Amino acid sequence: MENADDLFNPSLAEALIKLDPEDGEQMVEYFKTHALLTREKALLQASVRDQRKLLVENGKLKKDIESLRNQLQDKQRRRTAKALLSPAPPPQRASPASKTPVNQPPSPAGATSAGPRNPPHERPSRRRRGERKACPTLDSLTLGAEPSIDVSRLDLRVGRIVNIRRHPLAETMSVQEVDVGESATRTVISKLEEQTDFEELQGSLAVLLCNIKECRVRGVAAQARLLSCSASEDSSELLTPPTGSIPGDRVTFLNYPGDPDKELQSKQRVWELLQADLQVDGRGVANYKGCAFEVKGKGLCRAPSLTNCSIR
């Protein structure tokens, strides 16, 4: 590690001492100490960055190990099922010499010497009425490992509400046009609260779930979902991205570094299963199982005023 003399120019130190013989040495020591502190601060910042990088890589490794373990278990189950369900080996056929007994009685009169007749062709037996159909074996089933269900499968982005209006066919709903950094805005349909101020919401930033399947609500197509927090049915507010966020910024989670699904499948119910673990903590920070909603390099997503409540 460099010392103070290496970080401070000796010629500059001599010049300071000549200019001020009384206080020159103290000034030189001050500058040396300042240089050392600056160097230590830079090293500390680099160490913090390396630690964050290691945490992300550790999360990826854990996920890879879990996937490999599931694949190994599936292979073991298939191998065991194959061994249990494989048919027994057929009995060995007797040699031609053993077919004719030693004390065989003479053939009756009129018997031909052409040999035994061929046995009649056996047809496969049909399933009788009332019998159950045979269950498929494990080998016939697809045993591919299902992707794990965690918050990394959600495509969460920062969006700006550019327009808001009442739903033309539903008085209790509102329609928002939201910029999420794409070539066109996305349409969002939300339940309209009694105290909703359209002028206040227009132009504000929010957090959107962008990989839901498009659906129509009273004739209007919804292409995303605004995330809000609610302490009761009467009090709710939109999650707020950190200062400096722009439309299109991804919301990520340090402990869950996976890539989001292209589109959430309704039959898998990913959003419904994850929603129970989406909370706002006592500091007002939005999190999933204690891991905060984060826009990298800009900060954390929060609730404007509510704490200890659910996210929907």
Side-chain angles (χ1 to χ4, degrees):
M1 182 176 177
E2 296 178 343
N3 54 33
D5 294 332
D6 296 332
L7 296 174
F8 194 73
N9 193 342
S11 60
L12 180 60
E14 294 177 359
L16 286 174
I17 294 174
K18 288 181 180 180
L19 289 174
D20 192 349
E22 295 181 359
D23 299 330
E25 292 184 358
Q26 294 182 357
M27 293 174 63
V28 169
E29 291 298 327
Y30 170 78
F31 284 125
K32 288 181 179 180
T33 303
H34 182 71
L36 283 174
L37 291 175
T38 303
R39 176 66 175 176
E40 291 179 357
K41 181 179 179 181
L43 291 174
L44 181 60
Q45 291 175 346
S47 176
V48 171
R49 287 194 298 269
D50 292 341
Q51 184 179 7
R52 290 181 178 176
K53 184 178 179 180
L54 288 174
L55 286 174
V56 173
E57 293 177 352
N58 188 28
K60 291 181 179 179
L61 287 174
K62 286 182 178 178
K63 195 170 183 179
D64 292 342
I65 291 172
E66 183 66 20
S67 176
L68 290 174
R69 187 173 67 87
N70 292 335
Q71 293 178 13
L72 182 60
Q73 291 177 350
D74 291 338
K75 289 182 179 180
Q76 185 65 29
R77 285 196 294 267
R78 285 197 293 268
R79 191 178 295 113
T80 303
K82 188 174 182 180
L84 292 175
L85 300 175
S86 59
Q92 296 181 354
R93 295 183 178 180
S95 60
S98 63
K99 289 183 178 179
T100 305
V102 177
N103 298 325
Q104 181 179 4
S107 301
T112 61
S113 60
R117 292 182 300 173
N118 292 328
H121 179 68
E122 296 182 359
R123 295 181 180 179
S125 60
R126 295 182 179 179
R127 182 166 57 92
R128 296 179 180 177
R129 183 177 297 177
E131 291 182 354
R132 292 185 178 181
K133 187 177 180 181
C135 297
T137 62
L138 291 178
D139 288 340
S140 64
L141 301 177
T142 302
L143 296 176
E146 290 289 337
S148 60
I149 297 180
D150 60 53
V151 76
S152 66
R153 297 180 63 179
L154 304 181
D155 183 6
L156 299 177
R157 304 186 215 169
V158 175
R160 186 183 300 277
I161 302 174
V162 297
N163 186 24
I164 181 171
R165 64 184 185 277
R166 289 184 180 273
H167 194 293
L169 300 177
E171 294 182 357
T172 59
M173 295 182 180
S174 61
V175 180
Q176 299 92 23
E177 301 296 332
V178 186
D179 175 16
V180 290
E182 298 173 335
S183 57
T185 59
R186 292 205 182 200
T187 303
V188 180
I189 299 176
S190 305
K191 183 179 179 182
L192 187 63
E193 304 290 344
E194 294 182 359
Q195 69 276 16
T196 302
D197 187 347
F198 285 6
E199 294 183 358
E200 182 181 354
L201 287 179
Q202 188 162 336
S204 62
L205 293 176
V207 178
L208 281 88
L209 175 62
C210 294
N211 59 343
I212 62 171
K213 189 174 182 179
E214 181 176 323
C215 62
R216 301 188 73 84
V217 181
R218 298 287 185 90
V220 180
Q223 302 158 333
R225 179 189 183 102
L226 282 170
L227 295 193
S228 62
C229 55
S230 174
S232 64
E233 294 184 357
D234 300 330
S235 61
S236 65
E237 54 192 23
L238 296 177
L239 292 183
T240 304
T243 304
S245 301
I246 59 175
D249 283 347
R250 282 283 312 280
V251 178
T252 58
F253 301 82
L254 182 61
N255 296 338
Y256 303 91
D259 295 325
D261 292 4
K262 184 176 181 181
E263 183 179 274
L264 296 176
Q265 300 299 320
S266 56
K267 63 181 180 180
Q268 295 181 358
R269 300 176 57 84
V270 175
W271 168 250
E272 289 79 1
L273 292 173
L274 294 175
Q275 192 175 4
D277 294 314
L278 299 176
Q279 303 285 334
V280 173
D281 62 17
R283 301 176 301 158
V285 177
N287 68 88
Y288 168 76
K289 293 184 177 180
C291 186
F293 287 49
E294 180 182 6
V295 178
K296 286 187 177 180
K298 298 179 181 179
L300 307 180
C301 300
R302 300 175 179 271
S305 61
L306 296 177
T307 58
N308 296 321
C309 57
S310 59
I311 296 174
R312 61 184 184 183

